Amino acid sequence: MTLSRRTFSAAVGSLAIPLPLVASAQDAFPSKPIRIICPFAPGGGSDFIARVASNLLSKGLGQSAIVDNRPGAGGTLGTEVALHAPADGYTLLLIAGSYTVNPSLYKLKFDPIADMTPVIQLSKGAYVVCINPNKVKATNLQELLAYGRQNPGKLTFASAGNGSHLHIVTEYMFGMAQVKATHVPYKGTGPAVTDLVAGNVDMLVAGTEALMPHVKSGRLRALAVTTAQRLPAYPDIPSVAESGLRDYDVVAWHGLIAPKGVPPATIAKINGALNTGLKAPELVAQLDPTGVSPAGGTPEQFGNLIKVEIPRYAKVAKDNNIKAD
């Protein structure tokens, strides 16, 4: 999921969230700046959402929140730093779907469930399944999957790299459809999109922001979105589930977690401030046209999402012998 700087700047800048009353002595959190570690490089969609969260926290808690980018090893380097920080609520970690994939690909120095405290899901969206219509003549997902079954290994699909979330969710779809296709990994979503448009690969599953401009121009064809329901922003694109794979439901999400042991009252305060900010009509109106929506909810709901996705993607990685770059 890749979101533009202009979209996020406009969305965050337009929010009007009142500052809270001065905290009492027995409820002093936060009394110093909060750090959000983003385990990805500056300038990408994850970085933008981390900065949205920092802005919402600053306004909602009356204390500055800064973003600390720590990229590397699929996000595991920054994750290790964050989860080994003091459990006081002053260090949070921005995570994406890759957090639930990495346990199957890397020898981690932390337990992705036991060593963290869920805080909140920040965003939700969908990936879109796109083809180059000059390479593949399918007009819908059923036709694409039928072609793949009839021609094992002939269909080529791009991803953002071996073991990336885009790689895993594509193999997950093909596994359910009993399709064998050829994976072509790239170093990021951008190069994968470029080669798809150029006709060097047949298809790609990626974020709406990266692919829909090319769909609107006619250079690519969108066959389905990965969520169980259609996206309000693109109501004419069916879901993978309604296209025949009824149990397929992949959400492109971001959220915040904290180290294990952060006091529940502190987590509740952070969660409350972010839930309030995420409901701001200005933010919803700015993000909805992109196919991405604010999420919100309880820490328990976000924790359950993580617990469900880790074993799901572990099976996909094992079944397809997927290794990290």
Side-chain angles (χ1 to χ4, degrees), residues 157-168 170 183-193 204-206 325:
F157 72 95
S159 82
N162 281 318
S164 65
H165 198 233
L166 300 183
H167 180 196
I168 291 285
T170 307
H183 178 220
V184 183
Y186 290 84
K187 293 187 179 299
T189 303
V193 173
L204 170 67
V205 178
D325 279 333

Side-chain angles (χ1 to χ4, degrees), residues 98-119:
S98 57
Y99 183 85
T100 62
V101 171
N102 287 342
S104 303
L105 306 176
Y106 296 93
K107 190 172 290 187
L108 302 178
K109 297 180 180 179
F110 56 86
D111 187 307
I113 297 296
D115 291 341
M116 69 88 180
T117 304
V119 178

Side-chain angles (χ1 to χ4, degrees), residues 38-40 70-80 93 98-99 102 106 110:
C38 178
F40 305 100
R70 298 288 187 98
T76 62
L77 296 182
T79 299
E80 183 180 342
L93 175 70
S98 57
Y99 183 85
N102 287 342
Y106 296 93
F110 56 86

Side-chain angles (χ1 to χ4, degrees), residues 34-37 57 82 89-94 119 256-258 270:
I34 296 170
R35 177 176 61 152
I36 298 176
I37 292 181
L57 282 177
Y90 289 99
T91 299
L92 305 174
L93 175 70
L94 187 285
V119 178
L256 288 177
I257 61 175
I270 297 169

Side-chain angles (χ1 to χ4, degrees), residues 118-119 271 297-305 307:
V119 178
N271 177 276
T298 67
E300 292 75 20
Q301 288 171 327
F302 187 40
N304 287 337
L305 172 65
K307 290 176 183 177

Side-chain angles (χ1 to χ4, degrees), residues 15-19 55-56 59-60 273 276-278 280:
L15 295 178
I17 302 173
L19 293 175
N55 187 283
L56 296 182
K59 292 184 177 182
T276 298
L278 291 168

